Amino acid sequence: QVQLVESGGGLVQPGGSLRLSCAASGSIFSINAMGWYRQAPGKERELVAVITSGGTTNYADSVKGRFTISRDNAKNTVYLQMNSLKPEDTAVHYCNARVRKIATSTVEFNYWGQGTQVTVSS
């Protein structure tokens, strides 16, 4: 019903940059929030950044000042600009969307992308 298509992952050297994008499509009335999570080997999945439809943002302390999340509400697309990347940023990054599916219900559904690998290594 709802698909999240991610792009932009890859391998980058420490100090480099990547820009992730995620486009949501399918049976969507509106999206309350979109964000990015990451999971490194042996670690729990953690929030990287999230942005609401109103523009409120939240970042993990470890990425503040380096990453910027933005959203194009008209395109149901979220972006994550990642600068000054560090080896500890290496993880599978997952796009997340909290979706209202129909106009007559405020019930929120949670959707995830397939994940895109970000590897920071020299």
Side-chain angles (χ1 to χ4, degrees):
Q1 288 286 99
V2 176
Q3 299 82 39
L4 302 180
V5 179
E6 302 148 325
S7 63
L11 189 151
V12 66
Q13 294 182 345
S17 298
L18 286 173
R19 186 175 188 246
L20 306 183
S21 64
C22 173
S25 62
S27 299
I28 299 169
F29 173 70
S30 64
I31 299 178
N32 293 333
M34 297 186 75
W36 293 92
Y37 293 72
R38 68 187 183 188
Q39 188 167 21
K43 301 291 183 64
E44 297 292 319
R45 187 175 298 186
E46 65 174 349
L47 171 73
V48 178
V50 64
I51 185 168
T52 71
S53 60
T56 301
T57 59
N58 189 37
Y59 296 90
D61 288 342
S62 60
V63 308
K64 284 183 178 178
R66 300 188 296 123
F67 293 7
T68 302
I69 191 168
S70 61
R71 181 180 177 185
D72 185 336
N73 288 340
K75 297 180 179 179
N76 288 336
T77 300
V78 66
Y79 307 92
L80 185 68
Q81 179 66 46
M82 304 184 293
N83 298 327
S84 301
L85 283 161
K86 304 174 181 179
E88 50 263 46
D89 295 318
T90 296
V92 179
H93 286 65
Y94 297 91
C95 179
N96 171 260
R98 295 194 273 121
V99 174
R100 282 184 61 186
K101 296 182 70 68
I102 57 176
T104 53
S105 176
T106 60
V107 173
E108 189 177 82
F109 295 82
N110 206 31
Y111 290 94
W112 296 90
Q114 293 296 308
T116 184
Q117 178 71 46
V118 172
T119 301
V120 184
S121 176
S122 59

